[in-house]
Amino acid sequence: MVFQSHNNIFSIFILFSFLANASAQLSPDFYSTTCPKALSIINSAVCSAVSKERRMGASLLRLHFHDCFVNGCDASVLLDDTSSFTGEKSAGANVNSLRGFDIIDNIKTQLETACPGIVSCADIVAAAARDSVVALSGPTWSVGLGRRDSTTASKDTATSDIPSPLMDLSDLITAFSNKGFTTKEMVVLSGAHTTGQARCQLFRGRIYNETIIDSSFATSVQSNCPSTGGDSNLTPLDVTTNVLFDNAYFKNLVNKKGLLHSDQQLFSGGSTDSQVTAYSTSFSSFYTDFASAMVKMGNLSPLTGNNGQIRTNCRQVN
């Protein structure tokens, strides 16, 4: 019995050592000697893309979210369908809405010229998300690097794991908890909706049927989202300062001007009201907590060591 107990303790020690090593392998300096220009190449391309189209900043940030929520931050979201698997691009949360693939391709092409076979697509996506937020006047954070790329993707997992804009608060809490996030982290990560746009079909039910909504806001949004038709018409997630990464999203929620049902659920008489109020009055605390939560998200189940590969083309396995 004692021997078995020691065995269990030893097994637990090995497990924690493995997890610690996997995490420790991600380092902001991972490419400092193998590809010293990597981060500057990524940053330059992101800044150029965002300056041409501000919405691209939100799209690149969203790409990182949708990658990490499906089997970890492994660039699986970038893979095209093959004969052996159906990729994540056609999942309901991604189809006809996920953008920025061409920007990632452009960055990858530049990096393959500068240092072939060194920088992973997963790291490009993670760094591009940070640079996008900074380009939109948001906070910065240290991006751990050293991820490797997956060799497969899963439409089914993308369909089941990515939170829906139609979710109630309890389901949102569960969806984020399943990925190891606290309720507070769920709220702050939702603040990414301070930039970007959404399609009419995703919020039509809210602006025509819900009661926790400012009437003048509902009327103004209805002008671009008719009760029938116009499914792909776009409306800013943050109606006040959509091209800036600020805390206006939370101010909107307090004023019942959340565009998506899932947005307004964060301020609807539930357990997260106080956190929304806090962020609505302090952009500095929002920035600090958002940066911390993004670091945590970037550490979701990375492939390191000999796992995965460094794809030459982000859209397909080597």
Side-chain angles (χ1 to χ4, degrees):
M1 181 68 94
V2 173
F3 177 75
Q4 183 179 8
S5 175
H6 278 294
N7 261 2
N8 289 341
I9 293 172
F10 181 71
S11 298
I12 292 171
F13 173 76
I14 291 296
L15 174 62
F16 276 104
S17 296
F18 173 78
L19 292 173
N21 287 336
S23 176
Q25 287 176 0
L26 292 187
S27 163
D29 303 319
F30 189 81
Y31 298 113
S32 60
T33 56
T34 56
C35 191
K37 294 182 179 179
L39 288 177
S40 63
I41 288 173
I42 295 171
N43 179 257
S44 177
V46 169
C47 289
S48 175
V50 174
S51 67
K52 292 176 184 175
E53 183 197 5
R54 301 287 283 180
R55 182 187 172 205
M56 187 53 70
S59 296
L60 290 170
L61 175 58
R62 185 168 179 249
L63 199 60
H64 185 40
F65 269 85
H66 285 220
D67 181 34
C68 294
F69 258 76
V70 184
N71 297 325
C73 309
D74 59 2
S76 59
V77 72
L78 305 178
L79 288 171
D80 290 335
D81 295 352
T82 71
S83 57
S84 59
F85 65 80
T86 301
E88 297 160 25
K89 292 179 179 178
S90 59
N94 298 332
V95 67
N96 297 325
S97 68
L98 215 55
R99 308 167 73 242
F101 298 111
D102 54 333
I103 307 301
I104 301 300
D105 289 340
N106 172 43
I107 294 171
K108 182 61 174 174
T109 298
Q110 293 185 55
L111 288 170
E112 284 300 306
T113 299
C115 32
I118 299 296
V119 183
S120 69
C121 301
D123 279 346
I124 294 172
V125 172
R130 186 269 312 275
D131 292 347
S132 293
V133 171
V134 174
L136 296 172
S137 303
T140 189
W141 58 90
S142 180
V143 177
L145 302 166
R147 300 169 190 79
R148 289 167 65 82
D149 301 323
S150 67
T151 54
T152 188
S154 172
K155 177 183 177 180
D156 289 343
T157 306
T159 301
S160 63
D161 287 13
I162 297 174
S164 162
L166 305 179
M167 280 184 170
D168 291 332
L169 179 60
S170 59
D171 294 324
L172 287 168
I173 291 172
T174 299
F176 278 79
S177 176
N178 288 340
K179 300 298 175 183
F181 292 109
T182 65
T183 299
K184 181 179 179 180
E185 288 167 336
M186 180 273 288
V187 172
V188 77
L189 287 173
S190 297
H193 284 180
T194 191
T195 184
Q197 302 184 53
R199 290 174 292 161
C200 169
Q201 69 183 85
L202 299 178
F203 57 84
R204 179 183 285 116
R206 168 155 168 73
I207 62 173
Y208 284 99
N209 303 321
E210 295 190 10
T211 55
I212 305 177
I213 188 167
D214 178 84
S215 58
S216 60
F217 167 70
T219 300
S220 67
V221 176
Q222 287 170 4
S223 65
N224 192 44
C225 182
S227 56
T228 56
D231 284 0
S232 296
N233 292 358
L234 295 171
T235 294
L237 288 161
D238 169 4
V239 295
T240 50
T241 57
N242 187 248
V243 296
L244 290 178
F245 196 96
D246 56 18
N247 66 332
Y249 167 80
F250 297 104
K251 296 178 181 179
N252 293 337
L253 297 187
V254 172
N255 292 319
K256 301 180 182 179
K257 294 181 180 180
L259 184 66
L260 303 176
H261 173 80
S262 57
D263 289 333
Q264 196 59 57
Q265 280 289 294
L266 303 183
F267 193 86
S268 57
S271 61
T272 55
D273 282 16
S274 59
Q275 195 62 53
V276 170
T277 300
Y279 290 142
S280 75
T281 57
S282 173
F283 74 84
S284 60
S285 62
F286 166 48
Y287 277 16
T288 300
D289 292 350
F290 185 82
S292 297
M294 287 300 292
V295 170
K296 183 173 179 177
M297 190 177 75
N299 286 328
L300 286 178
S301 307
L303 296 173
T304 57
N306 295 319
N307 295 315
Q309 61 180 215
I310 306 299
R311 285 188 223 134
T312 302
N313 179 340
C314 291
R315 294 175 184 258
Q316 60 190 44
V317 175
N318 293 344

